[in-house]
Structures are given as C-alpha cells and as structure tokens.
Amino acid sequence: RVAELSFDLPLTPAARFTLADLAELLRRHLPADDPLVGYPALLTDPALADQPLTGFLTGSIDAVLRVGAAADQRFVVVDYKTNRLGGDELTLGHYAQGPMVAAMCASHYPLQALLYCVALHRFLSARLAGYDPARHLGGVLYLFVRGMGGADAGASTGVFAWQPPVALVTELSVVLGGGGHD
C-alpha cells in the first residue's frame, strides 16, 4: 500500500486535445454495459467541450493498493469521498450503485479516475520491472465513506468499483504526451 501517492503529470498532447476529444475516446473504449457509459455526454456540454487537457497536473492519489500474489499482482487506485448523497436522514440505500454513478458523473470523478490511472500507469511503467498494463492495472475504487456499511449491509454499499479499459488508459497516456510506455 502506498498512501498519498503524489504525482506530477505533464499533459502535453501533440495537438490540441479537448474534453470533447476525451468524450470521443471514452465512447470508443467503454463497453455498452460499463456503469459510466453515459459520462461522455457530459463532456460534450458546450460549457466544457472546448476545454483543453494541457499543462501540468500535480496531484495526490489517496492510496494505491497492491493486491494478489506476486505472480498475479495488480495495482488499484483508491480515492476516499465524503459526499453526502442523501437528504437529512441518510441511509445506506443512498449509496447504492445508481446514486454513486450519478455522483461520480456530476462531480466529474471519471475524469479524475482516468487521470489517476494515467499517473499510475506512468509510475509503474518507470518503476516496475516487467510492467504490463493489461496485467498490472487493477482499476479504481471510490470509497464513499458515509455509505460504507460493511459486510452485513452489502459489500458494494458505498464502494464504487470501476475497471477502465486498459486500452483507454494507455491511449490517453500517449495522447497526453506520455510517450511509448505502452
């Protein structure tokens, strides 16, 4: 486990790359049954579509977990959220899959998750001997801590798990100027 993995991520696409371009990339890679398949539509909103993804992004991933045996180890991005998804009287039902998907999209957490995955991809490609994104990238877990009720409440309550397609992460890394780490 690595807590608070800080990163500096240069975003230097060879050509202007906008959120609308990212939406198209997502549409090409997300399968129809992906929980975030509707997210690209939000990025094509006229207020966002022309925003470029360029510059220098500095951030910190709450945690990266190494899971599995040595021969089958995967690395998972973990982000803790304290969002209040319900009204005055919260229930664990407010943190079921549907409300979490809505919260993820409304707050643009899929974009955050993708950038975190690109940062992890670049980190692992530079530091892990034999790195293979298809084998080592383990997806993301967004932990909505107010809704995590434990095993008795249902293992998925308050936990949003997403496995972005590896090809999406590696292509986005290259598009944003990540070179040939793929």
Side-chain angles (χ1 to χ4, degrees):
R1 175 177 67 89
V2 176
E4 298 297 327
L5 177 63
S6 296
F7 62 87
D8 296 312
L9 186 66
L11 306 176
T12 56
R16 190 171 191 273
F17 186 77
T18 65
L19 289 177
D21 297 323
L22 177 60
E24 184 54 36
L25 190 66
L26 284 160
R27 283 188 185 107
R28 279 194 290 116
H29 286 284
L30 293 180
D33 62 348
D34 190 285
L36 298 175
V37 73
Y39 180 65
L42 297 176
L43 296 177
T44 59
D45 180 282
L48 296 177
D50 289 333
Q51 295 295 314
L53 278 170
T54 189
F56 202 79
L57 179 64
T58 298
S60 179
I61 300 170
D62 288 343
V64 174
L65 304 180
R66 182 178 62 196
V67 298
D72 193 32
Q73 66 184 357
R74 298 179 68 74
F75 296 84
V76 178
V77 169
V78 176
D79 197 59
Y80 301 100
K81 296 298 182 194
T82 58
N83 303 49
R84 186 177 182 89
L85 301 187
D88 291 337
E89 294 185 33
L90 285 179
T91 68
L92 293 178
H94 290 109
Y95 294 88
Q97 181 77 0
M100 286 189 300
V101 168
M104 290 286 295
C105 292
S107 296
H108 292 282
Y109 293 152
L111 175 58
Q112 178 188 46
L114 284 172
L115 292 172
Y116 283 0
C117 287
V118 167
L120 179 61
H121 167 63
R122 291 182 185 181
F123 176 84
L124 293 173
S125 68
R127 289 171 180 80
L128 184 64
Y131 171 65
D132 175 6
R135 188 172 65 129
H136 292 112
L137 290 179
V140 297
L141 294 173
Y142 272 67
L143 307 180
F144 289 83
V145 296
R146 293 175 191 254
M148 294 176 69
D152 292 341
S156 65
T157 304
V159 178
F160 180 81
W162 185 44
Q163 179 68 55
V166 171
L168 171 61
V169 174
T170 57
E171 185 175 345
L172 183 58
S173 179
V174 170
V175 165
L176 294 176
H181 301 293
D182 317 303

PDB file of all heavy atoms in Angstrom, residues 138-159:
ATOM      1  N   GLY A 138      -5.226  -2.456 -12.035  1.00  0.00           N
ATOM      2  CA  GLY A 138      -6.344  -3.132 -11.381  1.00  0.00           C
ATOM      3  C   GLY A 138      -7.598  -2.303 -11.235  1.00  0.00           C
ATOM      4  O   GLY A 138      -8.511  -2.716 -10.531  1.00  0.00           O
ATOM      5  N   GLY A 139      -7.665  -1.137 -11.856  1.00  0.00           N
ATOM      6  CA  GLY A 139      -8.875  -0.323 -11.782  1.00  0.00           C
ATOM      7  C   GLY A 139      -8.875   0.656 -10.621  1.00  0.00           C
ATOM      8  O   GLY A 139      -7.835   0.943 -10.030  1.00  0.00           O
ATOM      9  N   VAL A 140     -10.074   1.146 -10.317  1.00  0.00           N
ATOM     10  CA  VAL A 140     -10.222   2.163  -9.273  1.00  0.00           C
ATOM     11  C   VAL A 140     -11.354   1.782  -8.317  1.00  0.00           C
ATOM     12  O   VAL A 140     -12.318   1.123  -8.716  1.00  0.00           O
ATOM     13  CB  VAL A 140     -10.500   3.565  -9.865  1.00  0.00           C
ATOM     14  CG1 VAL A 140      -9.340   4.062 -10.715  1.00  0.00           C
ATOM     15  CG2 VAL A 140     -11.764   3.591 -10.684  1.00  0.00           C
ATOM     16  N   LEU A 141     -11.204   2.206  -7.091  1.00  0.00           N
ATOM     17  CA  LEU A 141     -12.248   2.083  -6.081  1.00  0.00           C
ATOM     18  C   LEU A 141     -12.497   3.472  -5.516  1.00  0.00           C
ATOM     19  O   LEU A 141     -11.573   4.101  -5.000  1.00  0.00           O
ATOM     20  CB  LEU A 141     -11.816   1.150  -4.942  1.00  0.00           C
ATOM     21  CG  LEU A 141     -11.608  -0.311  -5.276  1.00  0.00           C
ATOM     22  CD1 LEU A 141     -11.013  -1.043  -4.074  1.00  0.00           C
ATOM     23  CD2 LEU A 141     -12.915  -0.955  -5.702  1.00  0.00           C
ATOM     24  N   TYR A 142     -13.725   3.943  -5.641  1.00  0.00           N
ATOM     25  CA  TYR A 142     -14.125   5.189  -4.993  1.00  0.00           C
ATOM     26  C   TYR A 142     -14.921   4.787  -3.754  1.00  0.00           C
ATOM     27  O   TYR A 142     -15.967   4.141  -3.871  1.00  0.00           O
ATOM     28  CB  TYR A 142     -14.937   6.069  -5.943  1.00  0.00           C
ATOM     29  CG  TYR A 142     -14.033   6.962  -6.764  1.00  0.00           C
ATOM     30  CD1 TYR A 142     -13.174   6.428  -7.709  1.00  0.00           C
ATOM     31  CD2 TYR A 142     -14.010   8.336  -6.568  1.00  0.00           C
ATOM     32  CE1 TYR A 142     -12.319   7.230  -8.445  1.00  0.00           C
ATOM     33  CE2 TYR A 142     -13.163   9.156  -7.297  1.00  0.00           C
ATOM     34  CZ  TYR A 142     -12.312   8.593  -8.230  1.00  0.00           C
ATOM     35  OH  TYR A 142     -11.462   9.400  -8.950  1.00  0.00           O
ATOM     36  N   LEU A 143     -14.390   5.121  -2.605  1.00  0.00           N
ATOM     37  CA  LEU A 143     -14.992   4.727  -1.336  1.00  0.00           C
ATOM     38  C   LEU A 143     -15.769   5.905  -0.761  1.00  0.00           C
ATOM     39  O   LEU A 143     -15.173   6.855  -0.250  1.00  0.00           O
ATOM     40  CB  LEU A 143     -13.910   4.253  -0.363  1.00  0.00           C
ATOM     41  CG  LEU A 143     -12.977   3.160  -0.889  1.00  0.00           C
ATOM     42  CD1 LEU A 143     -11.954   2.769   0.174  1.00  0.00           C
ATOM     43  CD2 LEU A 143     -13.754   1.946  -1.367  1.00  0.00           C
ATOM     44  N   PHE A 144     -17.082   5.845  -0.871  1.00  0.00           N
ATOM     45  CA  PHE A 144     -17.960   6.869  -0.301  1.00  0.00           C
ATOM     46  C   PHE A 144     -18.152   6.494   1.167  1.00  0.00           C
ATOM     47  O   PHE A 144     -19.022   5.689   1.512  1.00  0.00           O
ATOM     48  CB  PHE A 144     -19.286   6.913  -1.058  1.00  0.00           C
ATOM     49  CG  PHE A 144     -19.162   7.485  -2.449  1.00  0.00           C
ATOM     50  CD1 PHE A 144     -18.757   6.699  -3.514  1.00  0.00           C
ATOM     51  CD2 PHE A 144     -19.438   8.825  -2.689  1.00  0.00           C
ATOM     52  CE1 PHE A 144     -18.642   7.219  -4.790  1.00  0.00           C
ATOM     53  CE2 PHE A 144     -19.326   9.361  -3.965  1.00  0.00           C
ATOM     54  CZ  PHE A 144     -18.927   8.566  -5.018  1.00  0.00           C
ATOM     55  N   VAL A 145     -17.313   7.062   2.023  1.00  0.00           N
ATOM     56  CA  VAL A 145     -17.193   6.577   3.396  1.00  0.00           C
ATOM     57  C   VAL A 145     -18.486   6.698   4.207  1.00  0.00           C
ATOM     58  O   VAL A 145     -18.725   5.893   5.097  1.00  0.00           O
ATOM     59  CB  VAL A 145     -16.012   7.244   4.135  1.00  0.00           C
ATOM     60  CG1 VAL A 145     -14.697   6.860   3.468  1.00  0.00           C
ATOM     61  CG2 VAL A 145     -16.152   8.756   4.174  1.00  0.00           C
ATOM     62  N   ARG A 146     -19.345   7.658   3.902  1.00  0.00           N
ATOM     63  CA  ARG A 146     -20.615   7.784   4.635  1.00  0.00           C
ATOM     64  C   ARG A 146     -21.547   6.602   4.361  1.00  0.00           C
ATOM     65  O   ARG A 146     -22.463   6.344   5.132  1.00  0.00           O
ATOM     66  CB  ARG A 146     -21.339   9.072   4.258  1.00  0.00           C
ATOM     67  CG  ARG A 146     -20.639  10.329   4.708  1.00  0.00           C
ATOM     68  CD  ARG A 146     -21.390  11.552   4.175  1.00  0.00           C
ATOM     69  NE  ARG A 146     -20.630  12.755   4.362  1.00  0.00           N
ATOM     70  CZ  ARG A 146     -20.913  13.678   5.268  1.00  0.00           C
ATOM     71  NH1 ARG A 146     -21.929  13.522   6.081  1.00  0.00           N
ATOM     72  NH2 ARG A 146     -20.168  14.757   5.345  1.00  0.00           N
ATOM     73  N   GLY A 147     -21.329   5.909   3.262  1.00  0.00           N
ATOM     74  CA  GLY A 147     -22.223   4.826   2.868  1.00  0.00           C
ATOM     75  C   GLY A 147     -21.628   3.440   2.994  1.00  0.00           C
ATOM     76  O   GLY A 147     -22.248   2.471   2.580  1.00  0.00           O
ATOM     77  N   MET A 148     -20.450   3.356   3.565  1.00  0.00           N
ATOM     78  CA  MET A 148     -19.814   2.041   3.706  1.00  0.00           C
ATOM     79  C   MET A 148     -20.344   1.378   4.964  1.00  0.00           C
ATOM     80  O   MET A 148     -19.960   1.723   6.070  1.00  0.00           O
ATOM     81  CB  MET A 148     -18.292   2.190   3.744  1.00  0.00           C
ATOM     82  CG  MET A 148     -17.731   2.697   2.420  1.00  0.00           C
ATOM     83  SD  MET A 148     -15.962   2.986   2.450  1.00  0.00           S
ATOM     84  CE  MET A 148     -15.380   1.307   2.578  1.00  0.00           C
ATOM     85  N   GLY A 149     -21.243   0.421   4.761  1.00  0.00           N
ATOM     86  CA  GLY A 149     -21.906  -0.220   5.887  1.00  0.00           C
ATOM     87  C   GLY A 149     -21.309  -1.544   6.296  1.00  0.00           C
ATOM     88  O   GLY A 149     -21.787  -2.167   7.233  1.00  0.00           O
ATOM     89  N   GLY A 150     -20.296  -2.006   5.620  1.00  0.00           N
ATOM     90  CA  GLY A 150     -19.671  -3.272   5.976  1.00  0.00           C
ATOM     91  C   GLY A 150     -20.362  -4.451   5.330  1.00  0.00           C
ATOM     92  O   GLY A 150     -21.354  -4.321   4.608  1.00  0.00           O
ATOM     93  N   ALA A 151     -19.854  -5.637   5.632  1.00  0.00           N
ATOM     94  CA  ALA A 151     -20.327  -6.870   5.011  1.00  0.00           C
ATOM     95  C   ALA A 151     -21.808  -7.130   5.284  1.00  0.00           C
ATOM     96  O   ALA A 151     -22.523  -7.631   4.425  1.00  0.00           O
ATOM     97  CB  ALA A 151     -19.488  -8.053   5.484  1.00  0.00           C
ATOM     98  N   ASP A 152     -22.298  -6.788   6.466  1.00  0.00           N
ATOM     99  CA  ASP A 152     -23.699  -7.035   6.800  1.00  0.00           C
ATOM    100  C   ASP A 152     -24.659  -6.182   5.969  1.00  0.00           C
ATOM    101  O   ASP A 152     -25.796  -6.564   5.737  1.00  0.00           O
ATOM    102  CB  ASP A 152     -23.963  -6.763   8.285  1.00  0.00           C
ATOM    103  CG  ASP A 152     -23.266  -7.782   9.179  1.00  0.00           C
ATOM    104  OD1 ASP A 152     -22.904  -8.863   8.678  1.00  0.00           O
ATOM    105  OD2 ASP A 152     -23.080  -7.476  10.367  1.00  0.00           O
ATOM    106  N   ALA A 153     -24.176  -5.025   5.500  1.00  0.00           N
ATOM    107  CA  ALA A 153     -25.025  -4.120   4.734  1.00  0.00           C
ATOM    108  C   ALA A 153     -24.946  -4.382   3.235  1.00  0.00           C
ATOM    109  O   ALA A 153     -25.697  -3.792   2.470  1.00  0.00           O
ATOM    110  CB  ALA A 153     -24.630  -2.677   5.022  1.00  0.00           C
ATOM    111  N   GLY A 154     -24.047  -5.214   2.835  1.00  0.00           N
ATOM    112  CA  GLY A 154     -23.832  -5.457   1.406  1.00  0.00           C
ATOM    113  C   GLY A 154     -22.481  -4.903   1.008  1.00  0.00           C
ATOM    114  O   GLY A 154     -22.207  -3.727   1.215  1.00  0.00           O
ATOM    115  N   ALA A 155     -21.654  -5.737   0.485  1.00  0.00           N
ATOM    116  CA  ALA A 155     -20.266  -5.366   0.214  1.00  0.00           C
ATOM    117  C   ALA A 155     -20.124  -4.168  -0.718  1.00  0.00           C
ATOM    118  O   ALA A 155     -19.155  -3.447  -0.644  1.00  0.00           O
ATOM    119  CB  ALA A 155     -19.511  -6.563  -0.352  1.00  0.00           C
ATOM    120  N   SER A 156     -21.093  -3.934  -1.599  1.00  0.00           N
ATOM    121  CA  SER A 156     -20.932  -2.856  -2.570  1.00  0.00           C
ATOM    122  C   SER A 156     -21.500  -1.520  -2.093  1.00  0.00           C
ATOM    123  O   SER A 156     -21.325  -0.509  -2.755  1.00  0.00           O
ATOM    124  CB  SER A 156     -21.580  -3.245  -3.896  1.00  0.00           C
ATOM    125  OG  SER A 156     -22.977  -3.388  -3.726  1.00  0.00           O
ATOM    126  N   THR A 157     -22.179  -1.495  -0.976  1.00  0.00           N
ATOM    127  CA  THR A 157     -22.737  -0.235  -0.487  1.00  0.00           C
ATOM    128  C   THR A 157     -21.613   0.735  -0.163  1.00  0.00           C
ATOM    129  O   THR A 157     -20.746   0.442   0.648  1.00  0.00           O
ATOM    130  CB  THR A 157     -23.601  -0.475   0.769  1.00  0.00           C
ATOM    131  OG1 THR A 157     -24.608  -1.425   0.446  1.00  0.00           O
ATOM    132  CG2 THR A 157     -24.238   0.804   1.246  1.00  0.00           C
ATOM    133  N   GLY A 158     -21.625   1.880  -0.836  1.00  0.00           N
ATOM    134  CA  GLY A 158     -20.612   2.900  -0.598  1.00  0.00           C
ATOM    135  C   GLY A 158     -19.304   2.660  -1.326  1.00  0.00           C
ATOM    136  O   GLY A 158     -18.391   3.467  -1.216  1.00  0.00           O
ATOM    137  N   VAL A 159     -19.204   1.583  -2.070  1.00  0.00           N
ATOM    138  CA  VAL A 159     -17.975   1.277  -2.803  1.00  0.00           C
ATOM    139  C   VAL A 159     -18.292   1.252  -4.290  1.00  0.00           C
ATOM    140  O   VAL A 159     -19.042   0.393  -4.762  1.00  0.00           O
ATOM    141  CB  VAL A 159     -17.374  -0.072  -2.368  1.00  0.00           C
ATOM    142  CG1 VAL A 159     -16.130  -0.383  -3.196  1.00  0.00           C
ATOM    143  CG2 VAL A 159     -17.059  -0.075  -0.878  1.00  0.00           C
TER     144      VAL A 159
END
